[in-house]
Amino acid sequence: KFGLMPDRVPDLYTRALHSQMLKPVGLSLHIGSNITDMDVFDRAFAIMADCVRALPGPVDTLDLGGGLAAGIDDTALKAYAAA
């Protein structure tokens, strides 16, 4: 809906680094809301890690967001947190 596809991140971040008007400090990822499958977080974090590794310099801030569905089975949530 908004943002970039992951394959565009390295080029645009690099362009921002070389801009006199921009100072990139990090990346933000929001995977949506009403999430019921904790594997979605694993996939999103892996994509973010790939993006960070592809950047030409350090990243000071990572903003990883998303929302769990109301009434999600807390057994899955506790297992994910413990992993």
Side-chain angles (χ1 to χ4, degrees):
K1 182 169 159 175
F2 302 109
L4 304 172
M5 294 303 293
D7 62 330
R8 302 255 349 258
V9 171
D11 177 55
L12 292 176
Y13 198 89
T14 301
R15 288 173 58 189
L17 281 173
H18 293 97
S19 169
Q20 293 183 10
M21 300 179 77
L22 300 172
K23 181 184 179 216
V25 295
L27 299 174
S28 179
L29 170 75
H30 190 277
I31 58 176
S33 57
N34 285 329
I35 296 169
T36 59
D37 179 1
M38 299 306 292
D39 290 340
V40 172
F41 285 98
D42 289 335
R43 291 191 303 270
F45 296 162
I47 291 169
M48 178 67 87
D50 289 344
C51 287
V52 170
R53 282 191 285 271
L55 296 179
V59 175
D60 296 329
T61 303
L62 293 178
D63 177 10
L64 307 168
L68 299 173
I72 189 170
D73 176 14
D74 69 345
T75 304
L77 185 57
K78 288 177 183 176
Y80 186 82

